[in-house]
Amino acid sequence: MSDTTVTGAILAAAADQARPMLTYYNDSTGERTELSGATLGNWAAKIGNYLRDEIGVLPGDPVRVDLPEHWQTAAILLGSWWAGAQVLIADDGDGRVVFTSRDRIDSHDEDEIVVVPLDPFAMGVRDLPVGISDFGESIRAHGDHFVPSGAGRLAVDSVTVQQVLTAAPDGLGADDRVLSVRPWHTVADLVANFAAPLAAGASLVYVDGSADEAALAKTASTEKATVTWR
């Protein structure tokens, strides 16, 4: 077991916790959600506390994340890694808990299923089946501060913590804002397109569902992006 968690390293790499760490755009809904390092860290802390205190997750335990790219998915990934968990994306096997969307409930048989709303404000999901937990109700009551107990060797499926933390692209640093439309719902994409820029200290601006070059160029200018990943 290592003392270094992926999330601890990402938060430490951020030059200014008040600076935006993740900005999420959804072109189809018009959503724009900006989270500073401090705010995203608070969400991750709540999730880490939930996993450890309610689910009993220990460093190295598996947590399944079955969600599309979204700022809430980012918070869940960071909270899981901060708790030292191995995030399961593609590998077979059940997690101690699964975070998923309402339309994916029937795809899972974990003992603990948490439904994530994927809306701008993490509002509650109504009329869930008995035994299924709502993300907002489960997470919000937990504290905004988290002290990790260490990390297991694996960060996501068979990718190690060390491999994630050394995946940052050359030349990318704390002064960069990366505008990206690259997906991060597979293991390789998650490491390269989500974790790597954050581990380099960069700020990530993720645009969901856009292939319009003019719109991307306008967003890049508005967000003062230094790098654009198509």
Side-chain angles (χ1 to χ4, degrees), residues 44-209:
K46 287 179 179 293
I47 293 160
N49 283 315
Y50 163 76
L51 290 172
R52 186 166 62 190
D53 297 345
E54 286 199 30
I55 306 301
V57 168
L58 299 173
D61 283 351
V63 170
R64 183 163 292 282
V65 180
D66 177 22
L67 292 165
E69 298 86 349
H70 195 272
W71 73 261
Q72 288 161 33
T73 306
I76 290 164
L77 291 167
L78 293 175
S80 300
W81 284 329
W82 218 359
Q86 173 199 17
V87 171
L88 299 181
I89 299 293
D91 280 0
D92 293 335
D94 292 339
R96 295 290 304 276
V97 59
V98 59
F99 294 92
T100 192
S101 56
R102 183 173 194 142
D103 61 347
R104 295 279 298 164
I105 290 174
D106 292 340
S107 300
H108 299 284
D109 57 7
E110 278 88 351
D111 290 337
E112 298 289 340
I113 298 176
V114 179
V115 173
V116 182
L118 301 175
D119 70 357
F121 305 108
M123 301 297 288
V125 182
R126 297 183 178 182
D127 301 322
L128 289 173
V130 174
I132 305 298
S133 299
D134 170 65
F135 176 74
E137 290 183 358
S138 299
I139 300 304
R140 288 185 190 278
H142 290 275
D144 292 344
H145 300 282
F146 184 72
V147 179
S149 304
R153 188 179 72 88
L154 299 178
V156 51
D157 288 359
S158 60
V159 180
T160 68
V161 171
Q162 184 63 22
Q163 287 172 321
V164 172
L165 295 181
T166 56
D170 290 340
L172 203 62
D175 293 331
D176 284 304
R177 280 176 66 75
V178 180
L179 177 73
S180 175
V181 297
R182 295 179 183 176
W184 31 277
H185 57 269
T186 68
V187 175
D189 289 345
L190 175 62
V191 173
N193 301 336
F194 172 72
L198 297 183
S203 175
L204 181 62
V205 181
Y206 179 73
V207 181
D208 190 356

